[in-house]
Amino acid sequence: LARCLDTAPVCITASEAMAEEYCRRYGGTFEALMQSVEPEDINDAVLPPAARPAVRFTFTGSLLPNRWQPLQAIGKALLGLRAEGLNGELHIYAPPTEIEEHGGALQLLPAVRMMGTASPTEIPAIQRDADVLVHAEGFDEATRRYTRLSFSTKIAQYLAAGRCVFAYGPEELASVRYIRDSGAGIAQTDESPSALRASLSRAILDASFRDQAGRQAVKVAMTYHNSNVQRERFRSILA
């Protein structure tokens, strides 16, 4: 790795947090080139989904590493909120092998629906049909170390969908901080059940907040994840 870094006049990372840390750790120049989406796939109309009995929280992606655990906590919190008259439902789309391994622990919760595996072409419509899109990361120490500087590939998709993002994970994670700092949704970094219920309550009750966060998500997608912008940045870096 040291030889590679010494050879490269500039290095590219997946997030600003990673670029900043690697610059401090290794020296040299690091540029962030984040996941991007095509401009035509960005939901700039931001029309709200159809009214339904329960606010739909949707997760698309891998249940690993240990993401099924915070998703389980969200499902339990949503179930508890039903007793207070607040109706929310978590829909989960994940790879088949992970559903087979961890889906049972999630499917047992009445507020969770395991929706199976969606193809890449189906994902955009599924995400736009959600009221809230869920990004979850594990709170255990090993997962925190592993995901601290990473930037989930689905964050750009979530932002492009024009929906409020509910990020649930440790505060030091770059992806969770990104949602908080961008204003694209809620970043819930306290894993206590009461704090989680409070944040979920806000997401369920405040439709205007969901709408505002969704519109901000689109602005962030257009500014920082537009593939035309990212390609130009990559061109300039190479130049």
Side-chain angles (χ1 to χ4, degrees), residues 4-187:
C4 288
L5 294 178
D6 287 343
T7 303
V10 61
C11 300
I12 294 173
T13 67
S15 70
E16 292 288 352
M18 190 180 292
E20 292 171 4
E21 171 135 343
Y22 284 8
C23 184
R24 289 194 301 268
R25 187 185 300 181
Y26 303 115
T29 301
F30 289 84
E31 295 280 355
L33 200 65
M34 294 187 290
Q35 293 288 333
S36 62
V37 289
E38 297 300 321
E40 58 270 23
D41 294 329
I42 298 176
N43 183 24
D44 52 359
V46 199
L47 297 175
R52 47 197 165 213
V55 171
R56 181 175 299 173
F57 294 78
T58 299
F59 173 88
T60 61
S62 174
L63 301 179
L64 303 175
N66 288 337
R67 288 193 180 105
W68 67 272
Q69 292 176 338
L71 290 173
Q72 185 183 59
I74 290 174
K76 290 179 178 178
L78 289 174
L79 182 60
L81 290 173
R82 286 186 175 184
E84 303 175 19
L86 301 179
N87 292 324
E89 187 174 65
L90 175 60
H91 289 201
I92 296 176
Y93 296 83
T97 55
E98 296 175 13
I99 292 175
E100 182 179 353
E101 185 175 359
H102 300 293
L106 297 163
Q107 186 68 69
L108 292 174
L109 299 168
V112 176
R113 292 184 62 188
M114 298 301 298
M115 304 301 293
T117 304
S119 69
T121 57
E122 295 172 319
I123 290 293
I126 289 169
Q127 292 173 343
R128 293 185 186 195
D129 193 42
D131 295 291
V132 180
L133 292 168
V134 175
H135 172 61
E137 296 288 3
F139 282 86
D140 62 283
E141 188 58 34
T143 301
R144 294 167 87 125
R145 290 197 303 269
Y146 184 70
T147 60
R148 184 170 64 89
L149 299 175
S150 67
F151 193 86
S152 174
T153 56
K154 65 173 170 285
I155 294 292
Q157 293 179 339
Y158 278 8
L159 297 171
R163 293 291 176 256
C164 174
V165 180
F166 188 90
Y168 181 45
E171 185 174 12
E172 70 268 24
L173 268 58
S175 58
V176 175
R177 293 203 313 271
Y178 192 75
I179 299 303
R180 179 197 65 195
D181 297 342
S182 68
I186 296 172

Side-chain angles (χ1 to χ4, degrees), residues 153-233:
T153 56
K154 65 173 170 285
I155 294 292
Q157 293 179 339
Y158 278 8
L159 297 171
R163 293 291 176 256
C164 174
V165 180
F166 188 90
Y168 181 45
E171 185 174 12
E172 70 268 24
L173 268 58
S175 58
V176 175
R177 293 203 313 271
Y178 192 75
I179 299 303
R180 179 197 65 195
D181 297 342
S182 68
I186 296 172
Q188 178 55 41
T189 59
D190 184 343
E191 64 175 323
S192 68
S194 59
L196 178 57
R197 284 196 301 271
S199 290
L200 290 170
S201 297
R202 182 188 183 193
I204 292 172
L205 288 171
D206 198 341
S208 63
F209 169 77
R210 295 198 306 266
D211 181 67
Q212 178 182 357
R215 294 179 186 280
Q216 177 62 19
V218 166
K219 292 180 182 178
V220 176
M222 280 290 194
T223 304
Y224 299 105
H225 301 279
N226 183 327
S227 62
N228 287 341
V229 175
Q230 292 288 58
R231 278 191 284 266
E232 175 56 26
R233 284 200 66 241

